[in-house]
Amino acid sequence: KQEVTQIPAALSVPEGENLVLNCSFTDSAIYNLQWFRQDPGKGLTSLLLIQSSQREQTSGRLNASLDKSSGRSTLYIAASQPGDSATYLCAAAYNFNKFYFGSGTKLNVKP
Amino acid sequence: DTGVSQDPRHKITKRGQNVTFRCDPISEHNRLYWYRQTLGQGPEFLTYFQNEAQLEKSRLLSDRFSAERPKGSFSTLEIQRTEQGDSAMYLCASSFGSGGAVDTQYFGPGTRLTVL
């Protein structure tokens, strides 16, 4: 059974700090791994998608890495801002119709 | 491209009533997914459509749940005889892909269901 775990469940940091969110998955035979952002009461916004053949993807202040052999992905946020406060979710895709989400990390960036 | 839309955004119903939700995907997307999300948890997969064909259903989708995607465009999710345990956010997502390719999913804002 595929499981996706995110640690920590919640994180509070001062503005300007660099931070790392962690995602681990039990089955390394993934197609890709996707990071999402979810604001309270809203849907999910895709941030980065890493294909299984890739090691990392970057978008602005965000960098996501993927290590299939160890079953881990990290999302690095540089120079955090209060607007980054949200819940960050990772999802492991094992097929075009099988996606498993973690429970998320709730990030609070304090001004 | 107006994104994925869902209607209604909120639904309050009494136990035992039937409810229906609608999802309009991004127009050129052939794949459509329904998820359920409860507080503090990530979305759980419910069902998947490729064009008008429902190709995958989770065991979470009991007999009280039914989904359709006529003509491969919008989709509806109906819950019959609602129970309090059905209270959750119901999310719709769409993507474009062919074969076994796995592409970025675009999510709608969700429908929050409260069963009293």
Side-chain angles (χ1 to χ4, degrees), chain A residues 83-100:
Chain A
D84 294 331
S85 298
T87 296
Y88 291 80
L89 295 144
C90 67
Y94 291 93
N95 202 337
F96 57 86
N97 60 355
K98 292 190 186 300
F99 297 86
Y100 295 88

Side-chain angles (χ1 to χ4, degrees), chain A residues 9-32:
Chain A
L11 182 63
S12 184
V13 300
E15 180 177 4
E17 192 162 297
N18 302 326
L19 58 101
V20 175
L21 307 181
N22 297 292
C23 172
S24 61
F25 43 95
T26 54
D27 186 343
S28 61
I30 62 172
Y31 274 61
N32 66 39

